[in-house]
């Protein structure tokens, strides 16, 4: 069964304190791994797609990386506006229209 | 540009009452459509997805059903709501060739009392 596990469940950082969020996955043939950002009471917003081990994507203070078993979302010198829940999702080669999400990491950045 | 509309935004329903949530997408053709549910402080649980009119895949056996009567319309229904149906329901769409990049609606918050 395809599974996505995210850690930590919650993370509180001081403004400017860099850190990483983890997404471990088990899937029969990875077609794609995705990162989303979700603000309270809103639908998730797409951030990145990663397709193969070794791939990296960057957007402002965020960088996503991928290995054969996990993905990391690195946040460098975060600001309070980066506070949100970050969700990881996977798409398997078999049943490729099905997108499975992890439970997310709630990130809080203190000024 | 593409937009997604989802309604109602909020509803409070008694146990045993019916449910209908509607989602429409504008500005694209033949999208993949999805219904997810999110419990408080939790991740997204995939309920249904559809790759075309009348084609519905169900992920969780429960008292909910979905229908796609038109290309860009996706409806989530229940004949009798349970307390456990409470949650934040999200509709999403994706382009056929980029199926992992989902675009979400604003969500419908359902409270069953």
């Amino acid at each position: 069964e395809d599974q996505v596990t995210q850690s930590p469940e919650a993370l509180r950082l001081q403004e400017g304190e860099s850190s990483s969020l983890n997404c471990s996955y088990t899937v029969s043939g990875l077609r794609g791994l995705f990162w989303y950002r979700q603000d309270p009471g809103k639908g998730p917003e797409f951030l990145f797609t990663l397709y193969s081990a070794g791939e990296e994507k960057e957007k402002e203070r965020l960088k996503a990386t991928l290995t054969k078993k996990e993905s990391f979302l690195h946040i460098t010198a975060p600001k309070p506006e980066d506070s949100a829940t970050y969700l990881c999702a996977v798409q398997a080669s078999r049943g490729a229209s099905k997108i499975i999400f992890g439970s997310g990491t709630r990130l809080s950045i203190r000024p | 540009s593409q937009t997604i509309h989802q309604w109602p935004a909020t509803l409070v329903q008694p146990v045993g009452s019916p449910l209908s949530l509607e989602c429409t997408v504008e500005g694209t053709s033949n999208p993949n459509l999805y219904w997810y549910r999110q419990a408080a402080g939790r991740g997204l649980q995939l309920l249904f997805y559809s790759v075309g009119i009348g084609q519905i895949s169900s992920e969780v056996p429960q008292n909910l059903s979905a229908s796609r009567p038109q290309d860009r319309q996706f409806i989530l229904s229940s004949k009798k709501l349970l307390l456990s149906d409470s949650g934040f329901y999200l509709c999403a769409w994706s382009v056929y060739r980029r199926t992992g990049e989902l675009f979400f609606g604003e969500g419908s918050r359902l409270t069953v009392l």
Side-chain angles (χ1 to χ4, degrees), chain A:
Chain A
E1 183 182 342
D2 301 334
Q3 268 194 320
V4 181
T5 303
Q6 291 188 247
S7 62
E9 187 174 315
L11 181 62
R12 297 186 69 186
L13 300 172
Q14 199 69 32
E15 183 173 0
E17 181 185 0
S18 302
S19 188
S20 297
L21 314 182
N22 177 263
C23 171
S24 299
Y25 63 90
T26 303
V27 64
S28 53
L30 181 71
R31 180 166 174 169
L33 184 140
F34 314 93
W35 283 97
Y36 289 79
R37 169 190 169 128
Q38 185 177 25
D39 292 307
K42 302 287 187 182
E45 177 186 348
F46 171 77
L47 292 173
F48 302 111
T49 302
L50 300 166
Y51 293 108
S52 57
E55 189 175 359
E56 298 183 353
K57 292 278 181 70
E58 284 190 68
K59 181 178 181 179
E60 295 181 354
R61 295 175 291 283
L62 300 176
K63 183 169 80 171
T65 61
L66 181 65
T67 72
K68 289 187 177 180
K69 294 183 179 181
E70 57 192 350
S71 175
F72 292 93
L73 184 65
H74 307 278
I75 182 161
T76 302
K79 299 181 178 182
E81 53 262 42
D82 295 320
S83 298
T85 295
Y86 289 86
L87 297 163
C88 173
V90 297
Q91 180 184 29
S93 297
R94 180 169 44 87
S97 296
K98 180 174 150 180
I99 313 299
I100 302 298
F101 281 80
S103 56
T105 293
R106 293 191 306 278
L107 179 64
S108 176
I109 309 298
R110 299 188 301 270

Side-chain angles (χ1 to χ4, degrees), chain B residues 3-4 23-34 49-56 67-75 91-94 96:
Chain B
T3 56
I4 179 169
C23 172
T24 59
V25 180
E26 296 178 356
T28 188
S29 297
N30 195 32
N32 284 3
L33 295 172
Y34 301 80
Y49 65 96
S50 171
V51 299
I53 295 175
Q55 300 178 60
I56 309 293
S67 62
R68 184 171 178 173
Q70 299 181 44
D71 181 44
R72 291 169 290 176
Q73 184 184 27
F74 206 22
I75 298 171
C91 179
W93 70 274
S94 67
Y96 172 70

Side-chain angles (χ1 to χ4, degrees), chain B residues 60-71:
Chain B
V60 183
Q62 54 196 352
N63 67 320
L64 298 174
S65 62
S67 62
R68 184 171 178 173
Q70 299 181 44
D71 181 44

